Structures are given as C-alpha cells and as structure tokens.
Amino acid sequence: MSQWFTLLQKELLEMTRNFKWIWVPISFILIGVMDPLSTYYLPQILNTIGDLPEGAVIDIPTPPAPEVLMMSLANYNLLGILIIILTTMGLISGERKSGVAGMILVKPVSYFSFVTAKCIVSKFLCI
C-alpha cells in the first residue's frame, strides 16, 4: 500500500509540474459555459451568416436556469469524462514513451497500482 501512495505522490508532483491543475479546470469551465453562450448568441450568428430565406425570423427564448444547468451537465457527461480518460491515457503513454514506466514497473510494483494511481489523481484533479 505504501508503494501506491508513493506512486500517487509522484503523479501529484508531475501534474503540478505540468500545470494540469490549471488547464484541466479551465477546460471544464469552458465546457460549462459553451452551450449557454452559443444558445444565447445563436440568432445573431444566424443573422450574420445570411443564408436564411427572406422574411425568416428567429426568436429563441432565453433558457431558464434549470435548462442551462441540464445543458451543462449533459456536456459534462460526455466531454468531461472524455477529458479525464484522454488525460490519463496521455500520462500513461507519455511515461511509456519516455521510459519512466519501464523503470517503475521493473520494480515490484503492479501494473494495477500504477494505473489506478494515475486514474485517482486525474479524478482528484477534476473535483
């Protein structure tokens, strides 16, 4: 168990050095803001493009707060989990490519603890 905590500390240090504690929350903020803003500015975007038939009037009401929350949560279900999975995959493949994973896995460290430490840190980062 102490090996797993050591791996966890190594991953936290690596994420701090790579500034992932900055760009991952920023990407989640952008995902949450993207859908309400695009819904709000959609009529102006369609008028600017100009491919509408003559006399077409687009009147999209401003969505209420519960609907905005549901739109954001729907984006988090797909894109948020995708960001977590891709971040973890990038960590593992980067360490395999650089040889760090080989140096760690040569020691009596199980592959399961190696991967779970990365997953826990990735999920901890998103909380």
Side-chain angles (χ1 to χ4, degrees):
M1 194 68 169
S2 66
Q3 291 176 349
W4 188 80
F5 283 118
T6 305
L7 288 171
L8 192 71
Q9 288 174 346
K10 180 189 91 58
E11 294 303 322
L12 284 171
L13 182 64
E14 182 181 346
M15 287 209 176
T16 302
R17 288 180 179 165
N18 291 336
F19 296 105
K20 287 191 180 175
W21 56 274
I22 292 176
W23 71 262
V24 172
I26 287 174
S27 64
F28 275 97
I29 290 169
L30 289 176
I31 288 172
V33 171
M34 184 176 53
D35 207 17
L37 281 179
S38 63
T39 303
Y40 182 77
Y41 288 112
L42 185 64
Q44 295 173 359
I45 293 170
L46 290 175
N47 287 334
T48 304
I49 291 174
D51 287 341
L52 296 173
E54 213 167 301
V57 176
I58 297 179
D59 186 28
I60 300 175
T62 304
E67 189 175 329
V68 170
L69 180 65
M70 292 305 294
M71 286 189 291
S72 297
L73 290 178
N75 285 339
Y76 286 137
N77 280 341
L78 177 66
L79 296 175
I81 293 172
L82 187 64
I83 287 173
I84 293 171
I85 290 171
L86 291 176
T87 307
T88 307
M89 287 172 48
L91 285 171
I92 293 172
S93 67
E95 287 193 1
R96 287 185 67 196
K97 189 176 186 180
S98 68
V100 174
M103 290 189 310
I104 292 173
L105 294 173
V106 166
K107 299 174 182 163
V109 175
S110 69
Y111 194 74
F112 179 75
S113 62
F114 178 72
V115 172
T116 54
K118 292 186 179 299
C119 291
I120 295 298
V121 169
S122 294
K123 287 175 181 56
F124 172 73
L125 185 67
C126 299
I127 292 176

